DNA sequence: GAGTGGTCTAGACCACCCA
DNA sequence: GGGTGGTCTAGACCACTCG
């Protein structure tokens, strides 16, 4: 019986590993520092590589590590707070909101998006579909598809060069009076196209922010934006504050309240 | 070399599997239906169980599957939209907001939370810490810790039974004039205590919603809420609409716009 | 006790990055 | 070419649920 198993752990190894590594990250590593490679870490902790990887995956999910194939695992900087309104209701692309249009097509909206326009919407009609990328601190944090039905921008000329097209759509959109926006956030995984824009692998965890822009009693535009979940914190509301790192979700500091 | 490998896939097996399973879910399964077990599915697709599990994990992350140890894997219902304001600024626990206090202690706030109160805050002081649970459709969707500094509720009597305590704190809080709220959403993983409340395993993906309640020029209360990322969609803004399922993030419907 | 998903192992090979 | 993380395998045992 005398194994070295002092801890009689009932918690999984990878979970314990995660906390050990997390603590080490706080105390012994600086942001940007490179960790030993996975094979060595696994050997050092006496576990299989797959088990170690389970711990690293969790830490990456929490935004504490960054792993890049062919390069290594580094300590991630605190998450970036990106403001997603309501900044007193403005149209997408208005002012300078860090978005940058990279393409535009006209096509029928996918069924799931068409539904967002409401029951009165004719699903067969093609809409202006603008792909945009949002950067912060010189790195891509989000990519979105902005759907603008032709009915929302009727004055738009039909003949436009690809470069002029998205800008013209946005310009027309800004002429409308924006009445309201509503938003929803959920967890998703990056599709291939999004992943490429975000410089991540397909399947990477993202926060999907869906915004509906209301004008004239209708939904005038819909944006489906995917934010990198590892590097971003989405902030709502007025003050641009809340510039805090808190790795709460992972760490100790158990100030537990009684459970039911 | 004539293996049956027709597809010459450059995409990983688990990724391809995920889309195949996802499509099957749409076309051949009803919500709540039980899938074949992992060993059989793996055999059926000719892959190792670990590979199959990678695909299932992704689908679960996207809220399309629900897996329970000892029970099986079932098709998940669409995500529940839970409103997280701003419902025209009201205090937590005001009206009936689906939250239910399950415990309360007084203790110093963890450092990460103390920082949210701003520079003028004395980190050593103990705060009322109320644990709450939010349910929707008879299942738990979120749990939070609500931190209320004693300075925010000075009139509170010192002697309270555990049962009366949280309610008294909330009652006093509601006397204050709520000026503002700001929020942030980020991805996290459930700590052990949270996981239990949410009926999930530790490490399960959650959306962490941090809210600061401002009153009298100060931060009068802070809430750190963890929502089940698999079953919830957080909705902001007025209308309680947006009751849409869109598995966009995973599915086909490629209406791609040109990349940069 | 039978069946489920959850954890873990010890290997192998691949895709990518960089010197 | 050498090193990194990413994928994949074929097993094993464990924790949990339920009849």
């Amino acid at each position: 019986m005398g194994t070295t198993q002092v801890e009689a752990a009932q918690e999984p190894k990878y979970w314990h590993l995660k906390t050990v590594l997390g603590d080490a990250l706080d105390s012994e590593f600086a942001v940007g520092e490179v960790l030993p490679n996975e094979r060595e870490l696994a050997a050092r902790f006496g576990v299989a590589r797959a088990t170690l990887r389970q711990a690293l995956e969790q830490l990456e999910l929490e935004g504490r590590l960054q792993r890049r194939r062919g390069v290594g695992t580094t300590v991630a900087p605190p998450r970036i707070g990106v403001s997603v309104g309501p900044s007193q209701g403005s149209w997408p692309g208005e002012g300078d909101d860090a978005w940058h249009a990279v393409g535009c097509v006209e096509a029928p909206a996918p069924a799931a998006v068409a539904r967002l326009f409401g029951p009165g919407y004719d699903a067969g009609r093609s809409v202006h579909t603008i792909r945009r990328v949002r950067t912060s601190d010189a790195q891509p944090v989000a990519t979105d598809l902005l759907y603008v039905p032709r009915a929302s921008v009727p004055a738009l000329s039909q003949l436009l060069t690809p470069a002029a097209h998205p800008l013209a759509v946005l310009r027309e959109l800004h002429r409308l009076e924006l009445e309201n926006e509503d938003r929803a956030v959920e967890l998703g995984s990056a599709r291939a196209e999004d992943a490429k824009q975000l410089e991540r692998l397909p399947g990477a965890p993202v926060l999907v922010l869906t915004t509906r822009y209301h004008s004239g009693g209708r939904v005038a535009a819909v944006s489906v934006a995917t934010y990198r979940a590892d590097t971003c914190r989405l902030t709502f509301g007025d003050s641009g504050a809340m510039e805090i790192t808190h790795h709460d979700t992972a760490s100790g500091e158990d100030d537990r309240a009684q459970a039911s």
Side-chain angles (χ1 to χ4, degrees), chain A:
Chain A
M1 310 304 179
T3 57
T4 331
Q5 194 73 342
V6 190
E7 272 294 359
Q10 205 49 336
E11 64 184 354
K13 275 188 191 175
Y14 80 91
W15 185 262
H16 182 243
L17 245 186
K18 189 194 94 166
T19 65
V20 170
L21 283 169
D23 292 347
L25 253 43
D26 291 331
S27 59
E28 300 168 34
F29 286 87
V31 166
E33 199 167 340
V34 185
L35 267 62
N37 72 54
E38 295 183 349
R39 288 159 180 90
E40 181 177 335
L41 279 177
R44 190 179 299 185
F45 287 105
V47 299
R49 192 176 154 219
T51 304
L52 174 83
R53 278 179 60 81
Q54 238 182 311
L56 294 183
E57 263 148 41
Q58 286 260 349
L59 289 168
E60 190 179 30
L61 200 74
E62 292 169 11
R64 307 194 50 176
L65 287 180
Q66 189 163 355
R67 300 191 288 171
R68 274 170 304 173
R69 171 156 50 180
V71 179
T73 302
T74 57
V75 180
R79 285 197 173 127
I80 307 169
V82 292
S83 174
V84 293
S87 50
Q88 263 43 304
S90 65
W91 287 109
E94 208 164 43
D96 189 272
D97 60 353
W99 287 98
H100 165 226
V102 296
C104 188
V105 296
E106 275 190 67
V113 174
R115 252 172 279 139
L116 293 169
F117 282 105
Y121 178 75
D122 174 6
R125 304 285 289 282
S126 74
V127 301
H128 302 285
T129 305
I130 304 176
R131 179 173 283 282
R132 301 185 301 166
V133 174
R134 177 172 182 172
T135 55
S136 180
D137 291 325
Q139 58 178 316
V141 293
T143 177
D144 86 339
L145 290 175
L146 178 63
Y147 300 92
V148 182
R150 292 167 101 149
S152 297
V153 287
L156 201 66
S157 133
Q158 295 299 326
L159 300 162
L160 288 164
T161 69
H165 192 158
L167 298 167
V169 172
L170 288 174
R171 187 173 2 95
E172 285 302 310
L173 196 59
H174 297 169
R175 301 172 110 86
L176 300 176
E177 186 192 2
L178 177 58
E179 287 163 358
N180 228 333
E181 308 160 56
D182 59 354
R183 280 175 253 268
V185 179
E186 64 187 309
L187 180 59
S189 47
R191 291 177 304 181
E193 319 94 83
D194 299 330
K196 192 181 299 182
Q197 300 283 348
L198 299 177
E199 299 177 5
R200 297 249 53 197
L201 293 178
V206 292
L207 298 172
V208 181
L209 174 67
T210 309
T211 308
R212 298 198 294 185
Y213 297 90
H214 297 264
S215 178
R218 295 184 296 98
V219 177
V222 163
S223 156
V224 179
T226 70
Y227 285 80
R228 285 183 59 152
D230 54 344
T231 58
C232 293
R233 193 178 65 249
L234 272 47
T235 65
F236 295 79
D238 49 346
S239 58
M242 208 106 125
E243 66 297 338
I244 313 292
T245 330
H246 58 101
H247 290 134
D248 274 348
T249 313
S251 62
E253 310 215 64
D254 279 15
D255 51 315
R256 61 187 70 227
Q258 307 300 26
S260 64

